[in-house]
Amino acid sequence: ICLYSITDPIKNGTIPNVIIELKKDAGNKAAYEQVIRYLRWVRNITTDEEYKKVKAYIIAPRITRIKASSVPQEYRDKILMYSISLKSFVSLV
């Protein structure tokens, strides 16, 4: 799911400000890697200032444990994970 801002558009509204990876099962490392691929694409076609405006989320019934050391540092603060069953955001371990 991509959301585009009308008040602070990126590249005249052609680039999403928010990327949501919605899972029907668990949000796992594969989901995290998918969001990284989206962000890499966005990073390649935006300026540093534009890229700072982009946020990414993984929303799932549950989030499996993902080790922080197994994901690139540059995405650790860029991707937020939300567990529906816990009704809260989940951090990397």
Side-chain angles (χ1 to χ4, degrees), residues 21 23 26-37 58 64 66:
E21 181 71 7
K23 306 309 280 182
N28 54 23
K29 189 159 188 256
Y32 201 93
E33 290 169 345
Q34 181 65 44
V35 175
I36 288 173
R37 286 191 291 276
I58 298 169
T64 63
I66 303 170

Side-chain angles (χ1 to χ4, degrees):
I1 300 171
C2 295
L3 303 175
Y4 300 80
S5 175
I6 57 173
T7 57
D8 193 15
I10 301 171
K11 299 228 184 277
N12 295 317
T14 60
I15 303 299
N17 296 69
V18 178
I19 299 168
I20 300 170
E21 181 71 7
L22 188 60
K23 306 309 280 182
K24 68 177 185 141
D25 296 315
N28 54 23
K29 189 159 188 256
Y32 201 93
E33 290 169 345
Q34 181 65 44
V35 175
I36 288 173
R37 286 191 291 276
Y38 299 150
L39 289 173
R40 282 186 183 139
W41 172 76
V42 170
R43 180 72 192 108
N44 285 333
I45 60 173
T46 57
T47 65
D48 290 341
E49 194 62 34
E50 291 167 333
Y51 184 67
K52 287 178 186 175
K53 296 178 185 180
V54 177
K55 299 193 182 300
Y57 299 89
I58 298 169
I59 301 173
R62 65 184 180 84
I63 304 292
T64 63
R65 294 172 57 97
I66 303 170
K67 292 182 182 179
S69 61
S70 71
V71 299
Q73 175 68 41
E74 66 184 284
Y75 301 106
R76 292 180 194 170
D77 293 331
K78 193 80 164 164
I79 301 171
L80 299 175
M81 300 179 293
Y82 186 84
S83 169
I84 296 169
S85 62
L86 296 176
K87 297 180 183 173
S88 68
F89 285 95
V90 177
S91 300
L92 297 169
V93 292

